[in-house]
């Protein structure tokens, strides 16, 4: 919403009441106004509420559009502003917005501002478990650094008060680098799988023999096939690895797939 220069009846919202009062006396003299064109038409009284100024009683031609009323009083409306007509406590729309006795014309000054700001992106932490440190000991090997993100947003104000904030675009302009921490653990420990009965599973699958070979292509304590063994980081044949490593790889497989790799013996875990 902005004030026109001709006629200069409105300047800023805080001067609305005085301007409307002055304009009401001159309305019938404004060239091109609805009152001048239809002087023999009985006017209707409406309340005009512009932005945050106090409402003012004015007269206008019956069935005039609210925009015509605002123009007659020197107030132009831009594409963002809201013009509402309230009748008997309810907002009306369409053809019903043509003015009647007792209507309230309410103009909301809408301003949309584009804001750009830079945000800090957390670096995060990556934990790497190792047997080279004592269990529970932590060692930072890289501090890392935060990243940066540019955020573009639109902030909307109604009569100077913020009512909406909407992010339009986010763009990462500097990648974060995570902090890297070594965490000591027991050899072949896998969180969430250490308390299971791996001995019972091994006895069921292979009779507890780390060198067991099934002619169908299954090896070791837990009867890995070669594809599954390699999927959990194993190399060579499972029977070439120690019993401890075989159990460790079995724990990793359990973390991935639960008991399903051992459809018969998995119930013993």
């Amino acid at each position: 919403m902005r004030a026109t220069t001709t006629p200069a009846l409105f300047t800023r919202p805080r001067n609305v009441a005085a301007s409307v009062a002055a304009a009401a006396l001159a309305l019938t003299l404004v060239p091109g106004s609805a009152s001048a064109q239809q002087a023999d038409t009985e006017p209707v009284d409406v309340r005009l509420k512009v932005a945050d100024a106090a409402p003012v009683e004015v007269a206008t031609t019956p069935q005039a559009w609210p925009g015509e009323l605002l123009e007659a009083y020197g107030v132009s409306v831009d594409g963002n502003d809201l013009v509402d007509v309230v009748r008997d406590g309810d907002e009306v729309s369409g053809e019903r917005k043509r003015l009647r006795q007792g209507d309230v014309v309410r103009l909301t000054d809408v301003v949309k501002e584009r804001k750009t700001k830079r945000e800090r992106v957390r670096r995060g932490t990556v934990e790497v478990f190792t047997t080279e440190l004592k269990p529970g000991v932590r060692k930072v090997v890289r501090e890392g650094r935060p990243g940066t993100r540019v955020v573009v947003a639109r902030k909307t104000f109604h009569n100077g008060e913020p009512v909406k904030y909407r992010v339009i675009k986010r763009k990462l302009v500097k990648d974060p680098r995570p902090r890297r921490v070594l965490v000591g653990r027991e050899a072949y420990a896998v969180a969430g799988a250490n308390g299971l009965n791996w001995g019972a599973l091994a006895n069921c699958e292979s009779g507890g023999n780390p060198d067991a070979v099934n002619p169908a292509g299954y090896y070791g304590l837990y009867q890995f096939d070669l594809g599954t063994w390699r999927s959990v980081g194993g190399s060579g044949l499972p029977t070439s690895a120690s019993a401890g490593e075989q159990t460790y790889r079995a724990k990793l497989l359990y973390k991935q797939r639960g008991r399903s790799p051992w459809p018969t013996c998995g119930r013993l875990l």
Side-chain angles (χ1 to χ4, degrees):
M1 184 267 295
R2 59 186 184 281
T4 59
T5 55
T6 304
L9 302 179
F10 284 85
T11 54
R12 303 294 293 175
R14 60 177 175 270
N15 297 324
V16 168
S19 298
V20 169
L25 296 175
L27 180 60
T28 57
L29 303 179
V30 177
S33 71
S35 295
Q37 295 171 354
Q38 304 180 36
D40 59 340
T41 302
E42 186 70 23
V44 295
D45 295 323
V46 300
R47 291 169 66 85
L48 178 57
K49 176 82 168 67
V50 177
D52 55 359
V56 179
E57 298 286 346
V58 296
T60 189
T61 303
Q63 299 299 307
W65 288 102
E68 295 173 343
L69 174 67
L70 292 169
E71 183 179 358
Y73 283 100
V75 180
S76 63
V77 181
D78 65 27
N80 292 324
D81 294 341
L82 301 175
V83 179
D84 299 309
V85 174
V86 180
R87 181 172 300 139
D88 299 325
D90 297 320
E91 290 185 13
V92 296
S93 59
E95 284 290 328
R96 298 185 65 214
K97 292 184 78 170
R98 289 181 177 275
L99 298 177
R100 304 179 188 175
Q101 177 73 27
D103 284 351
V104 177
V105 177
R106 184 174 62 204
L107 173 63
T108 303
D109 181 20
V110 180
V111 175
K112 296 183 177 182
E113 295 182 357
R114 187 183 176 94
K115 301 282 187 180
T116 301
K117 65 179 181 179
R118 298 172 78 87
E119 287 183 344
R120 179 187 177 98
V121 180
R122 293 179 64 248
R123 64 185 178 183
T125 299
V126 173
E127 293 184 339
V128 179
F129 292 91
T130 177
T131 58
E132 296 179 2
L133 297 175
K134 292 182 178 180
V137 174
R138 301 171 65 87
K139 180 181 179 181
V140 177
V141 293
R142 186 179 69 192
E143 282 296 339
R145 68 168 186 233
T148 304
R149 179 189 296 116
V150 172
V151 179
V152 180
R154 179 177 291 118
K155 196 170 186 179
T156 303
F157 297 83
H158 284 186
N159 299 334
E161 296 294 328
V163 295
K164 187 177 181 180
Y165 181 88
R166 185 171 72 88
V167 173
I168 301 171
K169 181 174 66 175
R170 287 187 175 93
K171 183 178 180 180
L172 190 66
V173 295
K174 182 180 179 182
D175 290 329
R177 178 181 294 172
R179 186 171 183 251
R180 188 178 178 88
V181 180
L182 298 180
V183 181
R185 64 163 176 81
E186 295 180 0
Y188 305 126
V190 176
N194 293 323
L196 301 177
N197 195 346
W198 293 101
L201 179 63
N203 285 332
C204 180
E205 289 286 339
S206 65
N209 180 8
D211 298 319
V213 177
N214 184 307
Y218 298 94
Y219 301 84
L221 285 170
Y222 305 100
Q223 294 294 280
F224 278 98
D225 62 44
L226 294 182
T228 304
W229 175 253
R230 288 165 186 158
S231 75
V232 290
S235 60
L237 295 174
T239 50
S240 299
S242 67
E245 182 180 352
Q246 290 183 42
T247 300
Y248 172 61
R249 303 294 173 194
K251 291 177 180 178
L252 294 178
L253 182 59
Y254 175 82
K255 288 285 285 186
Q256 292 178 0
R257 297 163 55 187
R259 294 182 171 89
S260 62
W262 306 283
T264 300
C265 300
R267 59 185 173 79
L268 299 175
L269 282 174

